[in-house]
C-alpha cells in the first residue's frame, strides 16, 4: 500500500524513501512538512501533526478523488495525534482542533490555502468554551472556521462574511475586532451559518471528519488556483510537484493576554544585518500578523512581557539557524505562556541581504566560501548594480517639497512610475501600455502578486516588514515601501492624499525602497558603485579565487586548467577604467570603428572613403592616425599590465556615409528649387553612396574583406596600435596588445593580410626600439572559419568568438530584425526555447565553437580562446564557454560582476571529481610481498 501520510515522528522513514536526500524529503512532504519533521526530531516544541504527501496531491489531481488508502491513513494518523495530545477530535469534553495547511517543495508564501480550527462544531464549541474558560475565544474561533471554510473550501466570496461583521461593528460603535464581546461573536456565528447556507445551499458541516476531508481536498485544489499558477510562472516552479498538506494540532495565540503569535527572521531580510527581525501580537491568531491589518509590536519587546518565553525563542531560533546554516523565517505561537514553533524555512531576502548573509556566514564558519558563492544568483548581483536614487537629486526633491511620506523600507532600490490602485490595472498599464507603474494599495494580498511583479515598485499604507507586500517584493527584487500610514488611499475616487496634497491615479511618484521615503514626481536615478558594496566585492573576490585555482578544470594537455577569466568589451579609456574597477582583467573587444564616428573625425573618414586613389586614402588616413594613436594610448594606460584586444575596422563603409534617402531628397529639393550652390558635390556624394549599395551589407564588403580591398585603413590602424604601445612602454606601462582580424571565413584571407600587418608591427617596434608581447588573431564569427579552424589557427594566435554574427550566420536569422519579428512567435510556440541572440544555442552555435577550439588547439596547443559576442555576459552561455575550454569571456563592463560570479558557478559545477582512494587497505611498510 502506498504510504500517503507521515506522522510527526517519522522523519527517518521519509529520509529513507528519499534516499537520504533532504531535497528528496522536501519533494515528498513539502518544505513546511520537512521543517516540522526536522524540528520535532531536534526536540523543538512543535504541536503534534501529520503530513499528507505531494504524491497524494498529484494522485488527487489526476483522479479527482482521494487515492485509495489516503483517508484511512489520515484517520489513523489523527488517532496517533489524539494519543499524543490526550485530546479527541470531535469530542466536546476534551476537543482536538487541527489546522490544514498547504506546503509545497518550494515555498510559495500565501499562494495556496489554509484552514484553521477544523473540528469545531455546535457541540464542540461548548467544550472549547469550558476548557478555555473564555466564551469570547470559543465563539471567535468558531466564526473563523465558518468563514475560512466557506471562502476556501466552498468558494464563498469574502464580502458575504465581511459585510455582516462590519454592520454589527458599526451598530455597536466598534472600530476594531478586539472590541467584539463574546455575545457579539456568538451572534456572528449564527449569522455566518446562515450566510453559509444561503451561499452554498448546505448546512455548515457538523461532522468534523467531513470538515477535514473537504479541507484536505481544498488545499490540494489550491495547487491549481490562479494565484499559485501565476506564482509558479513567475518563479519557474514546476507544475507537477504538487503540494503536501500539513494537519497540525491547533495551538492558540488568541486565548488571553498571556498568549500571542508572531513571525520572525533570524537576520534582517532587507539588509542582511545579523539581528533578529520580527513582529508579534498578543492575543491574536497568525493571520493577524501576516496580513498587516493590526499594528504589530517588534520582537525585542516580547522580552519585556515574557522574558522566559523570549529567551527560549531566541535559543531555539539560534539553534535552527545553525542547523540549517541559513537565515530562518519562523512562525510561532504562545498559548498561555507556552511557546510552540509552527514553521521554519530558509527566509526570502533581498539581493543585498543575500550577499551579506552569505559572506557573513562564511566568515562565521557556518558555511564555506564555495557555499556562499553558490547561494548567490547572477540576478542577485545584477540587482545590486541596478539604479538607485541620486543623493543630490533626493535632497533637492526634499527641498522642493516633493516629499510625500515615509514608511518601512521593505525592499531596497529605486522605482519611478505612474501609480495604479489595483493589481489588474497596474499589470495592464505595464504590459499593454508599456508604462512604468507603481502599485499602491492599503495592503496587498496573494491575489495582488501579478500587479506587483509587473510594477517597478510597490507602496502600501499599512503593514510592516513581514507583511505580504514586503515579503513578496523582497523575493522579486521590487523596490517597496510599506506602512506609509500618512497616506490615505481612496480606492473609489482613485486618489491618494497626504497632508493636504493629493496624487491621482496615473500620476508619477518615486519610491525609495532603501530609505522608505516616497516622493511625488520623477527623481533621477544613478547606478550604484561596486566599490562601495564591500560584501559583494568580497564575494566576487572569492569567486575569482575559485576560477584562479590551477586544478578547477579537467582538460587535455595544454588547455586551460583554471576557470574562466572575465574580460570586457570597451572602446574608450573611461569604459576600460570602469571595466577594471568591476574586476575585468583584459579587454576582449575594442570596436575601433566607433572612434571613426566622432564629429571631428567623420569628415576625414568620409574623405578617405570617397577618394579614388590609394594616395588620396593614405593622405586622409594619415590625418586619422594621431587620433587613433591617442585612443589606443588611453586604453593601454587604463589596462596597464592586462591584454587589450583591438579589432580592426569591421562594418561596411556605407555606415560612415550620410543617409542615402535623405541625401536623395536634398538633391531633388535643390533641383526643384533651382539651387545650384553645392548641388554638384551632393550629386557626386549620392553617386558614390549608390555605388556602395549592397543588398546584404552584413554579408558584404566588411571585416577582413574590406581590409583586403582597402588595406590602407588597417595598415594605419596597426601602425597606430604599435606606436601607442611603444610610447606607453617607454612610459613604463606594461602593454599586451592583441590585434584582431574580424569576419575571417578562410585561412587564405589571413594569409593575405596578416603578414603585411605583422611587418608593420615589426617596423614600428624596431623604429621605436622597444619590445613587448603582442599577438595577431581572428574572430570566429563565420561558420566556415569554425569548421576550418585547423587551418585558421596556423596563423591566428588567438580566436575570439563573435557569437552575434556566428548566431546570425549559423541560423540564417538577421540579428537586426529577427528579435522584433518571428523570433517572438518562435519562442511562444516553443520552436525556440530561448532567444539565441541572448543565450547561446549550445546544440548548434555552441557545437561549432567546441569544434573550432578542439581543432584550433590541435594546430596550436596554446591557442588563446575567448568570446566577445553579447553571450559573453550571459550566465548560461558562460557555463558553456567554461565547458568547452575558453580561456576567458568578454562582456560589457556592467555585466562583468555577474560574469565573474557565473564563471565561478561554472567552475564549481564542473570541477573534476576527486579520484577515490583505493578501498583496499595499504600493506604495511616493509611487509610488501615480493
Ligand atoms: C559579434 O559578431 O559577436 C561581435 C562581437 O562583433 P559585432 O557585434 O561588432 O559584429
Ligand atoms: Mg561581428
Amino acid at each position: 500500500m502506498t504510504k500517503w501520510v507521515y506522522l510527526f515522528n517519522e522523519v527517518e522513514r521519509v529520509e529513507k524513501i528519499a534516499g537520504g536526500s533532504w531535497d528528496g524529503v522536501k519533494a515528498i512532504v513539502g518544505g513546511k512538512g520537512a521543517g516540522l519533521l526536522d524540528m520535532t526530531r531536534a526536540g523543538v516544541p512543535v504541536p503534534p501533526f501529520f503530513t499528507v504527501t505531494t504524491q497524494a496531491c498529484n494522485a488527487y489531481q489526476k483522479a479527482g478523488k482521494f487515492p485509495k488508502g489516503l483517508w484511512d491513513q489520515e484517520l489513523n494518523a489523527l488517532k496517533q495525534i489524539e494519543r499524543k495530545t490526550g485530546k479527541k477530535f470531535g469530542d466536546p469534553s476534551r476537543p482536538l482542533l487541527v489546522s490544514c495547511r498547504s506546503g509545497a517543495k518550494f515555498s510559495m508564501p500565501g499562494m495556496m490555502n489554509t484552514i484553521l480550527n477544523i473540528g469545531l462544531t455546535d457541540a464542540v464549541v461548548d467544550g472549547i468554551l469550558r476548557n478555555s474558560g473564555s466564551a469570547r475565544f470559543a465563539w471567535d474561533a468558531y466564526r473563523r472556521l465558518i468563514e475560512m471554510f466557506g471562502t476556501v473550501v466552498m468558494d464563498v466570496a469574502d464580502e458575504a462574511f465581511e459585510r455582516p461583521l462590519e454592520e454589527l461593528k458599526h451598530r455597536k460603535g466598534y472600530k476594531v475586532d478586539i472590541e467584539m464581546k463574546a455575545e457579539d461573536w456568538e451572534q456572528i456565528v449564527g449569522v455566518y451559518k446562515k450566510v453559509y447556507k444561503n451561499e452554498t445551499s448546505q448546512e455548515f458541516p457538523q461532522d468534523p471528519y467531513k470538515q477535514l476531508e473537504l479541507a484536505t481536498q481544498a488545499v490540494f485544489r489550491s495547487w491549481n488556483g490562479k494565484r499559485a499558477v501565476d506564482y509558479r510562472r513567475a518563479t519557474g516552479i514546476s507544475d507537477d510537484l504538487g503540494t503536501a498538506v500539513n494537519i497540525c494540532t491547533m495551538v492558540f495565540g488568541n486565548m488571553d493576554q498571556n498568549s500571542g503569535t508572531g513571525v520572525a527572521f533570524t537576520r534582517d531580510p532587507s539588509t542582511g544585518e545579523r539581528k533578529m527581525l520580527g513582529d508579534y501580537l498578543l492575543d491574536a491568531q497568525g493571520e493577524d500578523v501576516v496580513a498587516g491589518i493590526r499594528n504589530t509590536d517588534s520582537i525585542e519587546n516580547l522580552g519585556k512581557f515574557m522574558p522566559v518565553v523570549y529567551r527560549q525563542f531566541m535559543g531555539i531560533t539560534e539553534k535552527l539557524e545553525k542547523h540549517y546554516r541559513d537565515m530562518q523565517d519562523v512562525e510561532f505561537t504562545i498559548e498561555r505562556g507556552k511557546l510552540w514553533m509552527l514553521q521554519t524555512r530558509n527566509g526570502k531576502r533581498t539581493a543585498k541581504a543575500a550577499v551579506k548573509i552569505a559572506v557573513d556566514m562564511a566568515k562565521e564558519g557556518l558555511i564555506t566560501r564555495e557555499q556562499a558563492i553558490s547561494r548567490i544568483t547572477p540576478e542577485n548581483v545584477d540587482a545590486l548594480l541596478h539604479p538607485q536614487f541620486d543623493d543630490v537629486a533626493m535632497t533637492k526633491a526634499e527641498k522642493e517639497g516633493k516629499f510625500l511620506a515615509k514608511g518601512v523600507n521593505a525592499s531596497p532600490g529605486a522605482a519611478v512610475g505612474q501609480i495604479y490602485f489595483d493589481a489588474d490595472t497596474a499589470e495592464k498599464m505595464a504590459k499593454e501600455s508599456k508604462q512604468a507603474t507603481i502599485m499602491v494599495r492599503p495592503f496587498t494580498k496573494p491575489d495582488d502578486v501579478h500587479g506587483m511583479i509587473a510594477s517597478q515598485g510597490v507602496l502600501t499604507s499599512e503593514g510592516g516588514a513581514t507583511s505580504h507586500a514586503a515579503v513578496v517584493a523582497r523575493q522579486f527584487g521590487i523596490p517597496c515601501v510599506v506602512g506609509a500610514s500618512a497616506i490615505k488611499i481612496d480606492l473609489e475616487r482613485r486618489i491618494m492624499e497626504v497632508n493636504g496634497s493629493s496624487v491621482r491615479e496615473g500620476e508619477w511618484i518615486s519610491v525609495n525602497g532603501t530609505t522608505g521615503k516616497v516622493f511625488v514626481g520623477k527623481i533621477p536615478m544613478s547606478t550604484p558603485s561596486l566599490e562601495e558594496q564591500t560584501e559583494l566585492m568580497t564575494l566576487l573576490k572569492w569567486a575569482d579565487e575559485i576560477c584562479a585555482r590551477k586544478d578547477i578544470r579537467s582538460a587535455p594537455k595544454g588547455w586551460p586548467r583554471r576557470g574562466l577569466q572575465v574580460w570586457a568589451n570597451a572602446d574608450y579609456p573611461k569604459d576600460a577604467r570602469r571595466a577594471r574597477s568591476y574586476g575585468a582583467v583584459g579587454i576582449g573587444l575594442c570596436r575601433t570603428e566607433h572612434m571613426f564616428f566622432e564629429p571631428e573625425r567623420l569628415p576625414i573618414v568620409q574623405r578617405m572613403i570617397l577618394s579614388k586613389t590609394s594616395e588620396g586614402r593614405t593622405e586622409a588616413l594619415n590625418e586619422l592616425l594621431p587620433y587613433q594613436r591617442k585612443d589606443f594610448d588611453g586604453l593601454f594606460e587604463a589596462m596597464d599590465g592586462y591584454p587589450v584586444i583591438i579589432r580592426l575596422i569591421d562594418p561596411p563603409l556605407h555606415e560612415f556615409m550620410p543617409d542615402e534617402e535623405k541625401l536623395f531628397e536634398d538633391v531633388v529639393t535643390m533641383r526643384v528649387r533651382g539651387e545650384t550652390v553645392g548641388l554638384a558635390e551632393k550629386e557626386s556624394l549620392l553617386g558614390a553612396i549608390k555605388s556602395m549599395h549592397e543588398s546584404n551589407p552584413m554579408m558584404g564588403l566588411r571585416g577582413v574583406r574590406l581590409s583586403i580591398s582597402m588595406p590602407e585603413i588597417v595598415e594605419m590602424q596597426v601602425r597606430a596600435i604599435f606606436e601607442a604601445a611603444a610610447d606607453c612602454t617607454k612610459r613604463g606601462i606594461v602593454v599586451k596588445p592583441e590585434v584582431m582580424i574580424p569576419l575571417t571565413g578562410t585561412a587564405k584571407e589571413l594569409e593575405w593580410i596578416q603578414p603585411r600587418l605583422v611587418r608593420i608591427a615589426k617596423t614600428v617596434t624596431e623604429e621605436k626600439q622597444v619590445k613587448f608581447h603582442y599577438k595577431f588573431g581572428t574572430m570566429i564569427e563565420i561558420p566556415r572559419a569554425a569548421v576550418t579552424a585547423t587551418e585558421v589557427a596556423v596563423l591566428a594566435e588567438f580566436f575570439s568568438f563573435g557569437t552575434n554574427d556566428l548566431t546570425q550566420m549559423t541560423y540564417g536569422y538577421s540579428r537586426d530584425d529577427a528579435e522584433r519579428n518571428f523570433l517572438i512567435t518562435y519562442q511562444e510556440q516553443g520552436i525556440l526555447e530561448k532567444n539565441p541572440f541572448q543565450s547561446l544555442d549550445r546544440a548548434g552555435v555552441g557545437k561549432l565553437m567546441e569544434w573550432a577550439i578542439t581543432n584550433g588547439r590541435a594546430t596550436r596547443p596554446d591557442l588563446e580562446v575567448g568570446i566577445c559576442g553579447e553571450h559573453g555576459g550571459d550566465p548560461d552561455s558562460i557555463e558553456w564557454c567554461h565547458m568547452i575550454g575558453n580561456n576567458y569571456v568578454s562582456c560589457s563592463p556592467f555585466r562583468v560582476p555577474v560574469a565573474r560570479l557565473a564563471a565561478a558557478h561554472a567552475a564549481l559545477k564542473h570541477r573534476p571529481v576527486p579520484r577515490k582512494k583505493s578501498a583496499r587497505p595499504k600493506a604495511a611498510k616493509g611487509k610488501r610481498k615480493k
Side-chain angles (χ1 to χ4, degrees):
M1 169 68 73
T2 313
K3 190 160 167 58
W4 303 114
V5 169
Y6 288 91
L7 260 175
F8 53 87
N9 56 4
E10 288 189 313
V11 64
E12 277 88 10
R13 283 190 76 174
V14 197
E15 275 178 335
K16 201 164 160 212
I17 288 179
S21 129
W22 194 247
D23 205 49
V25 172
K26 284 191 189 166
I28 298 171
V29 292
K32 183 177 285 178
L36 290 172
L37 285 166
D38 207 25
M39 282 200 288
T40 308
R41 168 163 61 183
V44 170
V46 173
F49 69 97
F50 62 87
T51 303
V52 182
T53 64
T54 55
Q55 289 108 323
C57 171
N58 286 338
Y60 173 83
Q61 308 288 7
K62 218 164 160 195
K65 57 179 190 193
F66 275 174
K68 198 159 166 275
L70 169 58
W71 184 237
D72 287 342
Q73 291 180 27
E74 279 204 40
L75 293 178
N76 274 336
L78 199 60
K79 285 214 170 61
Q80 303 297 324
I81 291 188
E82 288 175 340
R83 209 161 292 153
K84 177 88 182 165
T85 56
K87 297 178 179 177
K88 200 161 170 9
F89 200 50
D91 180 347
S93 61
R94 44 193 179 107
L96 170 71
L97 303 187
V98 296
S99 61
C100 188
R101 292 169 186 264
S102 58
K105 177 176 178 185
F106 300 107
S107 139
M108 297 169 56
M111 298 300 135
M112 289 181 290
N113 289 340
T114 291
I115 301 122
L116 305 178
N117 304 347
I118 295 169
L120 260 173
T121 59
D122 290 353
V124 171
V125 74
D126 286 332
I128 295 282
L129 196 156
R130 268 192 317 275
N131 281 358
S132 65
S134 166
R136 184 181 183 279
F137 163 73
W139 290 111
D140 180 19
Y142 197 14
R143 70 91 195 181
R144 284 181 196 250
L145 171 66
I146 303 171
E147 181 177 347
M148 257 189 242
F149 198 90
T151 53
V152 171
V153 180
M154 306 303 288
D155 280 335
V156 178
D158 292 342
E159 299 83 64
F161 293 105
E162 279 163 11
R163 219 178 306 116
L165 177 60
E166 285 311 311
E167 276 165 19
L168 186 134
K169 275 162 59 183
H170 184 72
R171 262 201 325 276
K172 302 256 173 174
Y174 303 153
K175 286 215 164 59
V176 283
D177 288 4
I178 208 108
E179 295 171 87
M180 294 276 288
K181 310 222 165 26
E183 56 273 24
D184 298 326
W185 285 130
E186 185 178 357
Q187 195 182 331
I188 280 293
V189 165
V191 175
Y192 275 13
K193 281 203 276 188
K194 283 200 193 109
V195 170
Y196 187 94
K197 174 99 197 276
N198 282 345
E199 297 288 329
T200 65
S201 312
Q202 293 167 32
E203 298 290 345
F204 177 72
Q206 293 298 320
D207 173 2
Y209 292 95
K210 195 75 207 156
Q211 291 176 7
L212 181 62
E213 186 189 344
L214 293 176
T216 311
Q217 289 176 0
V219 175
F220 281 161
R221 282 198 305 275
S222 68
W223 174 254
N224 282 328
K226 181 175 173 349
R227 277 188 261 149
V229 173
D230 283 352
Y231 187 88
R232 290 204 293 276
R233 296 285 170 279
T235 49
I237 297 174
S238 158
D239 282 342
D240 49 22
L241 295 177
T243 181
V245 183
N246 298 289
I247 289 148
C248 191
T249 308
M250 280 298 302
V251 286
F252 294 95
N254 57 341
M255 275 208 165
D256 52 23
Q257 282 296 316
N258 205 19
S259 304
T261 186
V263 293
F265 295 91
T266 53
R267 300 190 187 209
D268 188 325
S270 192
T271 63
E273 203 190 330
R274 195 179 178 189
K275 178 174 169 274
M276 174 76 71
L277 188 111
D279 302 303
Y280 79 100
L281 274 172
L282 289 182
D283 198 6
Q285 272 203 336
E287 76 262 24
D288 302 339
V289 178
V290 187
I293 296 166
R294 265 171 71 184
N295 281 335
T296 52
D297 199 359
S298 112
I299 195 87
E300 298 95 80
N301 291 336
L302 183 65
K304 290 186 203 143
F305 296 108
M306 299 186 189
V308 178
V309 169
Y310 181 68
R311 270 200 303 280
Q312 188 194 2
F313 173 74
M314 293 305 276
I316 289 173
T317 48
E318 196 183 324
K319 204 162 128 189
L320 287 172
E321 192 182 89
K322 286 219 170 92
H323 179 68
Y324 290 107
R325 295 164 192 273
D326 203 350
M327 183 263 270
Q328 295 299 293
D329 166 3
V330 297
E331 278 178 34
F332 64 95
T333 282
I334 305 155
E335 187 183 79
R336 292 184 158 158
K338 170 146 180 57
L339 174 67
W340 293 101
M341 299 303 291
L342 302 185
Q343 172 164 296
T344 190
R345 60 186 171 195
N346 292 342
K348 305 254 184 251
R349 63 205 74 181
T350 62
K352 185 168 187 246
V355 171
K356 178 157 171 58
I357 291 170
V359 170
D360 284 355
M361 284 192 167
K363 287 185 179 165
E364 289 158 25
L366 267 185
I367 56 173
T368 63
R369 289 182 177 185
E370 291 178 5
Q371 284 168 326
I373 284 163
S374 307
R375 280 187 188 178
I376 303 305
T377 61
E379 292 77 23
N380 288 150
V381 175
D382 206 27
L384 287 176
L385 300 169
H386 273 167
Q388 307 280 339
F389 286 121
D390 206 270
D391 277 347
V392 182
M394 191 107 285
T395 322
K396 188 164 165 264
E398 292 206 29
K399 276 198 190 133
E400 288 171 356
K402 292 188 174 162
F403 173 73
L404 275 180
K406 187 165 186 315
V408 178
N409 50 342
S411 178
V416 177
Q418 290 166 267
I419 58 167
Y420 291 97
F421 293 117
D422 66 274
D424 290 343
T425 318
E427 186 191 43
K428 188 161 172 265
M429 289 305 178
K431 285 199 173 153
E432 291 174 18
S433 309
K434 303 277 174 255
Q435 286 186 12
T437 60
I438 307 263
M439 193 175 106
V440 181
R441 297 281 306 163
F443 54 89
T444 67
K445 291 194 290 187
D447 295 344
D448 296 322
V449 172
H450 61 290
M452 298 176 71
I453 297 172
S455 295
Q456 305 294 311
V458 174
L459 169 65
T460 72
S461 54
E462 295 169 24
T466 51
S467 62
H468 176 266
V471 171
V472 174
R474 273 199 292 274
Q475 184 192 350
F476 290 101
I478 307 163
C480 173
V481 171
V482 297
S485 49
I487 294 178
K488 301 285 168 261
I489 302 170
D490 187 331
L491 292 176
E492 279 183 7
R493 287 169 54 226
R494 314 301 278 177
I495 194 166
M496 65 179 193
E497 287 171 335
V498 198
N499 302 326
S501 58
S502 54
V503 189
R504 298 187 168 279
E505 192 159 56
E507 289 183 352
W508 291 83
I509 64 165
S510 300
V511 173
N512 190 342
T514 313
T515 61
K517 290 187 176 177
V518 184
F519 296 82
V520 68
K522 300 188 214 175
I523 296 180
M525 299 186 275
S526 64
T527 312
S529 99
L530 177 65
E531 287 91 335
E532 282 165 20
Q533 308 193 45
T534 36
E535 275 92 12
L536 181 57
M537 292 278 279
T538 305
L539 189 97
L540 292 176
K541 191 171 120 272
W542 294 347
D544 294 343
E545 282 165 9
I546 286 172
C547 287
R549 280 190 212 155
K550 284 191 200 122
D551 54 354
I552 200 81
R553 251 198 291 200
S554 57
K557 205 160 172 278
W559 288 43
R561 286 186 174 273
R562 296 173 192 246
L564 290 167
Q565 287 193 343
V566 179
W567 297 14
N569 295 353
D571 301 343
Y572 300 100
K574 72 169 180 351
D575 302 327
R577 278 191 291 275
R578 181 190 293 278
R580 215 176 146 164
S581 75
Y582 276 19
V585 291
I587 298 294
L589 174 64
C590 163
R591 291 179 164 104
T592 48
E593 58 272 9
H594 288 171
M595 300 157 170
F596 288 2
F597 282 104
E598 290 191 9
E600 75 274 26
R601 306 182 193 186
L602 197 56
I604 315 175
V605 176
Q606 290 175 347
R607 187 148 41 83
M608 182 268 296
I609 295 171
L610 289 173
S611 74
K612 301 220 165 49
T613 61
S614 171
E615 291 73 36
R617 272 199 291 275
T618 309
E619 197 194 314
L621 285 164
N622 282 343
E623 271 185 65
L624 283 173
L625 180 88
Y627 287 117
Q628 284 262 276
R629 193 170 47 222
K630 194 155 165 274
D631 297 330
F632 301 140
D633 193 292
L635 271 184
F636 291 135
E637 189 170 326
M639 295 307 289
D640 188 0
Y642 291 122
V644 177
I645 295 189
I646 297 169
R647 179 177 75 182
L648 303 177
I649 189 165
D650 182 33
L653 290 182
H654 75 84
E655 286 193 14
F656 300 102
M657 302 306 281
D659 179 59
E660 187 181 335
E661 250 176 64
K662 166 92 183 36
L663 195 61
F664 178 71
E665 253 179 53
D666 286 355
V667 168
V668 172
T669 315
M670 285 175 87
R671 281 186 192 145
V672 171
R673 290 190 184 150
E675 292 169 15
T676 50
V677 188
L679 179 61
E681 286 84 352
K682 287 209 179 214
E683 283 175 336
S684 115
L685 187 59
L686 185 61
I689 295 173
K690 278 200 169 140
S691 72
M692 280 180 203
H693 179 85
E694 291 176 300
S695 299
N696 282 316
M698 288 305 271
M699 295 197 182
L701 188 62
R702 58 176 283 228
V704 67
R705 303 160 204 166
L706 176 63
S707 306
I708 291 171
S709 307
M710 278 187 196
E712 300 88 350
I713 307 176
V714 287
E715 283 166 5
M716 177 280 286
Q717 289 193 302
V718 170
R719 176 161 275 280
I721 293 169
F722 283 83
E723 285 183 357
D727 292 349
C728 284
T729 309
K730 286 186 180 166
R731 300 206 304 274
I733 295 163
V734 177
V735 293
K736 295 182 178 171
E738 302 191 12
V739 179
M740 181 152 76
I741 297 166
L743 224 72
T744 301
T746 150
K748 291 268 184 224
E749 288 166 325
L750 290 189
E751 283 170 25
W752 196 96
I753 193 79
Q754 191 168 313
R756 337 178 145 222
L757 302 178
V758 172
R759 266 200 302 281
I760 296 172
K762 287 208 172 107
T763 312
V764 175
T765 47
E766 276 162 25
E767 274 168 19
K768 301 259 183 183
Q769 297 188 341
V770 284
K771 278 203 168 119
F772 48 82
H773 275 290
Y774 59 84
K775 286 184 186 164
F776 276 80
T778 186
M779 291 186 80
I780 303 289
E781 42 191 348
I782 291 191
R784 192 182 186 284
V787 173
T788 59
T790 320
E791 291 100 66
V792 177
V794 172
L795 274 185
E797 293 168 283
F798 66 87
F799 285 175
S800 176
F801 291 109
T803 43
N804 303 334
D805 275 313
L806 192 58
T807 303
Q808 165 167 266
M809 308 232 191
T810 303
Y811 269 106
Y813 297 164
S814 161
R815 59 189 266 191
D816 299 310
D817 308 311
E819 280 163 286
R820 61 183 153 83
N821 208 317
F822 63 90
L823 230 55
I824 302 171
T825 320
Y826 269 33
Q827 279 175 266
E828 278 168 6
Q829 296 297 319
I831 295 168
L832 288 176
E833 200 189 319
K834 294 188 229 164
N835 174 350
F837 288 105
Q838 278 173 353
S839 192
L840 202 73
D841 154 49
R842 292 186 180 192
V845 178
K847 278 281 165 214
L848 281 172
M849 293 164 71
E850 192 177 19
W851 190 344
I853 298 180
T854 310
N855 292 328
R857 288 211 176 112
T859 303
R860 185 185 287 275
D862 62 348
L863 182 77
E864 174 189 275
V865 179
I867 178 174
C868 62
E870 285 312 299
H871 305 86
D874 166 63
D876 190 65
S877 313
I878 291 172
E879 183 190 3
W880 180 250
C881 290
H882 174 95
M883 289 161 69
I884 60 175
N886 270 37
N887 296 78
Y888 68 89
V889 294
S890 185
C891 56
S892 112
F894 287 102
R895 294 172 92 186
V896 166
V898 169
R900 287 164 70 194
L901 181 79
H905 282 176
L908 290 174
K909 184 168 165 194
H910 299 282
R911 75 166 107 181
V913 191
R915 251 189 280 150
K916 279 208 183 115
K917 289 207 182 100
S918 164
R920 281 176 32 210
K922 273 189 192 155
K925 251 188 188 170
K927 286 195 176 170
R928 208 179 290 160
K929 273 188 185 166
K930 295 256 166 70

